[in-house]
Structures are given as structure tokens and as C-alpha cells.
Amino acid sequence: MARKWASAAVMLYLVIAAFMYWYIFNGADPQVPTVLKGTAADPATFLNARELMLSEKYSGIRNFLYFISTPYEWLFYFLILLVGLSRAIERWANSVSRWRVLQTAVYLFWLSLLSYIVLFPFNYIGYALGKSYNITTQTFTSWMKDEVIAFWINFGTMVVIVSVLYWLMKKSSKNWWLHAWLLSIPFTLFMMFVQPVLIDPLYNDFYPLKNKELEAKILEMANRADISAEHVYEVNMAEKTNSLNAYVTGIGSNSRIVLWDTTLNRLKDNEILFIMAHEMAHYVEKHIYFGMAAYLLLTFIGLWITARSMDYIVRCWGDVLKIPSVSSIGSLPLFLLITAVLLFASEPLSNSLSRYQETRADKYAIEMTGDSKAAVRTFQELTRSGLSQVNPPSLVKWFRYSHPTMLERISMVENYRPGTIGKSE
């Protein structure tokens, strides 16, 4: 039976890959709607023919890689159970020590290493693709350094999470998922608090904005928005990418607004001020906290479904999957498989909520700056620097876009009338 299941899983993966190839490169229509042709939202008005061609090719390949690498990871988790490799690693880990935490660490190290090796081709192709299209400027050595850092951070975090998770499974076979969810609340808050000061600096250097004149303008705008801020931070991304970005990170006293130096180098002051007003909107409208609440709600539902699914699968097919019990550490690939599928299935909903917040932030920025022309130029430059697809296929938008498409953002800015935010739309 295991061989039939493996063959069926591989065949299903190939069918998914073939469908996504057809859909992205042949089935979807990336053309701009007729009503928007010739407007500022039409990429033909601000990209030359070569940039248009490159943006379509680059975006298409990146989207295809995403839609085949995601089920590829699921396939890995499924096959490692079927062939008994997870069970073999568990037995070896158990023979190393009597301490359960050490057993978990040993098991996780080999599972993480194997997972990284299996998924490395997709990671490298993504890196090489960015280099070939001049999006990525990072050297291979620097990229591998970031990969190693990420591996050890993820490994250390997973040792803590998995050790607690499987301890709960042994202590409460029925309600472990509820206890795990309750513990995830302070853990999530802790990670969001330390992210800007402990984790992010491992990858890049952060420092207060060097352009003090621009910083004064930003802080004055923050004061008008009743945001207490002492510094705006910039980060040295030019050595890694040509893309532009700015973001809000952290919570409480560790919250901060961060600008990439590429953004500072490529955009004019009024365009940067629009970006800053957009980021300030996330503070003013408490988007971080609403997003965190939505995440915790989805985690609650996801853990409940995962617990019920694992009980059923192990009870019915535990012998085939080489899983003696749910609380056995060898069941971890099943846990990761189910949660990964659930996370993917929830993307359209979470992305939809995020796009709503981003639209609100765009409108807030127009209200604050009163400069819709700067907003349009900003979105156009973001499109050019990242070779973004202005009008992506629907499936790509649902599963990949946490922000509105550039077509939607530019069109909204052109048609938005200041003074209407907060009113029924």
C-alpha cells in the first residue's frame, strides 16, 4: 500500500505542476482592462517594452516556483513518513540520550537538515533568478550566510516549540492543542517584541535615518498623527537587492518604522513621505494588533483541525505511515504536513484581510500628504524596481498578494477623493 500511496502522491504533484504551468504561462490573461488602458495604472505608460517583457517573465517564473515548491514540501513530509525515514531518525535519536529534550533536538536537527537539502534547489533557483534579472545584488557567499543564520534560528525556535508541543501531547492527548494555543499567545508576543532588536540585526545593519532633514519631516508628520517616535530606521539593503521597501515591525517599545536604503536612494522626499504616511497608518489603525488577533484565531482553528486530523490519520493509517502514536516525535512530519496545507488554504482569507488594511493605509497616506501624484510615482517606481506584475492572475493574487495589485493601487489613488476615508465606500 505504501508504494501505491507514494506513486499516487508523486503523480498528483506532477498534475498540479502541469496545471500551474499552463495556468500561469498560458491560461491567465495579464492584460490591463480596456477601461484602464492609457491611464497611470497601465504599465505601458511608465515601463518601456523591455521592462514590460522582463516583468511578465520574471513574475511568471517566480509565481510558478511558488506553486510547485509548496506542494513539493508537502510531498517531502508525506514520503518521509511512508518510507519509514522519520521513524528511523526517531529511533536513532532515542538511542542517543535518555533526556527527551535532547532526543527532540537530535531528531529535529536531522529532519531540518534533510528538509533543507531537499528544498535547497528551489531556494537556489529563486536566488539565481533574482541575480539574472538584476533584482538580487547579493553574492552567493552572503546569501549562504543568511541561509545558515536562518537555519539555526529556525532550528533553535523549533526545538523549544516541538519540545513543549510533544510534552503536551503526552500529558493531555485530548486537549493538547488547546494548551498549545494558549501558550502560543505569550510566545507570539515575545517573538514580535524581540524580532527588531535580536533577530533582524543578524541579517542587516540598522541605524537611525542619516538624512536628518528628511527625518525631521517624517517625525513632524508622526507628531501630527499622534505617534510618539524618536527615530526612523534605515537598513543597508543595497548590497543585497535593487528592490524598494519600507515596513513596520515589532510591538510596544520595540516597534519601529524601517526604510530600506534602496528606497532612500531611488525615491524623492515627497514619495518617501507618502510611504512613511502609509506605514504610520498601520500604527494609527492598529493593524499590527488586528493582524495578530486574526493570526491567533486562525492558529486556534488550525490546531483544532490538526489535532482531529492527526488522531484520525494515525488511528486509520498509522501502520502505513510508520507512526505508532500521535505523541511519538516521529509524527512531526504529519503535523507539519497538515499545518502547511491548512496555512496554504487560509492564504486567500488572510491575504484578503491584509489587502483591505493596505488599501486603508494607502488612503490614509493620501489624506495625510495630500499628494496623490507622489503616490502614483511611488507605485510606478516600486513596480519598475521589483519587476512586479501589475495585473497578476487571480490565483496568484489570492495566494500570494498581501497587498493590492499595482493596477488596483494606482487606479485607487487616481480615483480617490481626500476626505472620504472612514465613510462608507
Side-chain angles (χ1 to χ4, degrees):
M1 180 180 289
R3 182 175 297 179
K4 291 182 179 179
W5 282 20
S7 299
V10 171
M11 185 60 64
L12 178 60
Y13 172 75
L14 294 175
V15 169
I16 292 173
F19 171 77
M20 292 312 306
Y21 182 88
W22 169 83
Y23 177 78
I24 290 174
F25 295 107
N26 297 291
D29 183 10
Q31 296 300 313
V32 173
T34 303
V35 68
L36 294 178
K37 286 186 179 294
T39 67
D42 183 354
T45 64
F46 61 90
L47 298 179
N48 59 42
R50 182 174 181 275
E51 290 171 334
L52 276 171
M53 181 269 294
L54 290 176
S55 67
E56 289 298 324
K57 288 182 63 178
Y58 177 68
S59 296
I61 297 172
R62 284 183 68 237
N63 292 330
F64 179 64
L65 283 174
Y66 169 79
F67 281 105
I68 63 171
S69 64
T70 299
Y72 181 80
E73 183 178 7
W74 305 345
L75 182 64
F76 163 72
Y77 291 138
F78 184 63
L79 293 181
I80 200 176
L81 289 169
L82 273 182
V83 300
L85 187 54
S86 177
R87 181 62 171 159
I89 297 174
E90 178 188 13
R91 287 172 175 164
W92 187 80
N94 290 343
S95 69
V96 170
S97 172
R98 293 183 302 173
W99 297 94
R100 190 168 299 278
V101 173
L102 184 56
Q103 292 173 357
T104 300
V106 171
Y107 175 88
L108 273 174
F109 174 78
W110 290 110
L111 179 66
S112 299
L113 183 62
L114 182 60
S115 174
Y116 182 81
I117 293 171
V118 169
L119 295 173
F120 181 80
F122 285 103
N123 295 332
Y124 178 75
I125 291 171
Y127 163 75
L129 180 68
K131 289 284 284 188
S132 64
Y133 280 83
N134 201 34
I135 301 297
T136 300
T137 58
Q138 191 173 18
T139 64
F140 178 76
T141 301
S142 174
W143 178 74
M144 278 304 304
K145 177 184 175 183
D146 285 351
E147 290 285 296
V148 171
I149 291 172
F151 176 88
W152 286 110
I153 290 176
N154 291 335
F155 171 71
T157 305
M158 285 295 290
V159 168
V160 175
I161 294 174
V162 174
S163 295
V164 173
L165 184 68
Y166 276 81
W167 177 79
L168 290 173
M169 287 180 178
K170 290 185 180 295
K171 293 294 183 180
S172 178
S173 59
K174 297 295 183 182
N175 296 316
W176 62 264
W177 64 273
L178 179 59
H179 301 306
W181 179 77
L182 291 172
L183 288 175
S184 75
I185 298 175
F187 183 78
T188 300
L189 293 172
F190 172 76
M191 292 301 296
M192 291 184 70
F193 185 77
V194 303
Q195 179 85 28
V197 294
L198 293 183
I199 299 177
D200 291 345
L202 295 175
Y203 297 94
N204 300 98
D205 295 325
F206 292 78
Y207 32 78
L209 189 61
K210 296 176 182 177
N211 186 336
K212 296 306 177 184
E213 184 179 345
L214 176 60
E215 184 180 49
K217 294 178 182 178
I218 295 172
L219 293 178
E220 188 277 330
M221 192 163 60
N223 184 59
R224 285 193 284 125
D226 292 325
I227 298 173
S228 59
E230 296 181 0
H231 295 291
V232 176
Y233 290 84
E234 63 177 284
V235 55
N236 61 327
M237 290 298 297
E239 61 187 26
K240 294 185 177 181
T241 182
N242 284 320
S243 294
L244 313 182
N245 197 17
Y247 60 91
V248 177
T249 185
I251 57 173
S253 60
N254 279 355
S255 59
R256 59 179 58 175
I257 298 174
V258 179
L259 272 166
W260 286 10
D261 58 353
T262 51
T263 303
L264 293 166
N265 296 336
R266 295 273 294 268
L267 298 183
K268 298 177 181 177
D269 280 7
N270 60 343
E271 296 163 356
I272 294 173
L273 289 175
F274 172 80
I275 291 178
M276 288 293 92
H278 172 100
E279 299 303 333
M280 289 175 190
H282 292 306
Y283 277 118
V284 173
E285 300 205 349
K286 307 292 190 297
H287 288 165
I288 291 178
Y289 298 100
F290 282 117
M292 188 164 54
Y295 167 78
L296 291 174
L297 175 60
L298 289 175
T299 301
F300 178 87
I301 297 171
L303 282 172
W304 179 80
I305 295 175
T306 300
R308 296 295 178 268
S309 301
M310 288 185 72
D311 283 341
Y312 180 78
I313 292 172
V314 172
R315 185 170 63 251
C316 296
W317 302 292
D319 290 342
V320 180
L321 298 175
K322 290 36 171 218
I323 302 176
S325 67
V326 170
S327 61
S328 166
I329 189 65
S331 71
L332 182 60
L334 178 61
F335 176 88
L336 296 174
L337 171 60
I338 296 171
T339 54
V341 171
L342 290 176
L343 180 63
F344 179 78
S346 70
E347 289 294 344
L349 175 60
S350 58
N351 282 339
S352 177
L353 294 174
S354 177
R355 287 195 298 271
Y356 171 76
Q357 291 182 339
E358 295 298 336
T359 299
R360 294 278 302 181
D362 284 344
K363 292 178 179 179
Y364 181 94
I366 298 172
E367 296 276 354
M368 173 168 275
T369 63
D371 195 347
S372 58
K373 291 183 179 179
V376 169
R377 291 195 302 270
T378 299
F379 292 143
Q380 290 176 340
E381 188 57 35
L382 286 170
T383 301
R384 180 180 292 107
S385 65
L387 292 180
S388 304
Q389 195 171 21
V390 171
N391 189 31
S394 295
L395 282 179
V396 173
K397 176 184 172 181
W398 296 343
F399 285 96
R400 299 210 67 197
Y401 275 57
S402 59
H403 290 59
T405 67
M406 286 302 180
L407 186 77
E408 294 168 335
R409 299 183 85 174
I410 297 174
S411 179
M412 184 280 293
V413 169
E414 284 206 302
N415 293 292
Y416 184 70
R417 297 294 175 264
T420 61
I421 192 168
K423 299 179 181 180
S424 58
E425 301 167 10

